[in-house]
Amino acid sequence: MATVTFRDETATGKPVAAWEIAGLPERMTVRELIRLRVREEVARHNSRPSTHFNGLVRPDDAEVELNGYRLREPRRIDRQRQADTAERAFLANGFFVLAGDRQVEDLDEVVDLAVDPNLVFIKLIALVGG
């Protein structure tokens, strides 16, 4: 079983957040890892719903704010919908994932977590007026 570190970084490499999940299979697809990450962050939010969500992708009807998203009112987030949104964002280059020192480019690419237990997620921000 593998322990994986999920890290968020800015495009310049500045660390934003990090956490670990233990007890994972040694080989998982990028799709499975993204869905796992989303499941964990939605579970954390849904255990204490608030107007702030700090996650990989924007929930429906939320506004972007510094370090996350603002919901109109405290509510639970749908895990399946959020995971589907994350997959679409990955495919549209809304964020990219580094496994070890390489960028993974396909949702069905298998990551050997025994070799690359550190995953870095880098959100890409659209430039205003660009």
Side-chain angles (χ1 to χ4, degrees):
M1 301 304 270
T3 298
V4 175
T5 301
F6 291 87
R7 285 194 339 250
D8 287 346
E9 292 183 0
T10 66
T12 60
K14 179 182 174 191
V16 177
W19 65 97
E20 290 184 345
I21 299 177
L24 299 178
E26 290 188 357
R27 296 174 59 82
M28 294 179 72
T29 65
V30 173
R31 180 186 320 272
E32 292 168 328
L33 290 163
I34 289 171
R35 294 184 85 79
L36 173 67
R37 178 212 162 112
V38 169
R39 182 186 78 203
E40 293 297 316
E41 64 194 20
V42 168
R44 282 195 307 264
H45 174 82
N46 286 347
S47 70
R48 297 184 71 170
S50 73
T51 57
H52 182 78
F53 178 72
N54 188 8
L56 183 60
V57 293
R58 184 175 59 86
D60 294 335
D61 299 326
E63 296 179 17
V64 177
E65 67 177 14
L66 186 63
N67 299 322
Y69 306 98
R70 176 155 302 279
L71 305 170
R72 294 174 197 234
E73 60 188 43
R75 66 174 169 89
R76 295 176 60 82
I77 294 173
D78 182 291
R79 178 179 80 191
Q80 182 67 38
R81 179 173 287 191
Q82 209 50 20
D84 292 345
T85 300
E87 280 187 24
R88 286 191 303 274
F90 178 84
L91 292 171
N93 297 317
F95 65 90
F96 61 92
V97 179
L98 301 175
D101 61 354
R102 66 183 176 84
Q103 181 177 345
V104 292
E105 298 180 0
D106 188 299
L107 284 172
D108 295 319
E109 185 174 339
V110 175
V111 177
D112 185 339
L113 300 173
V115 174
D116 294 321
N118 297 305
L119 300 175
V120 176
F121 289 75
I122 300 173
K123 294 182 198 180
L124 303 177
I125 309 298
L127 297 175
V128 175

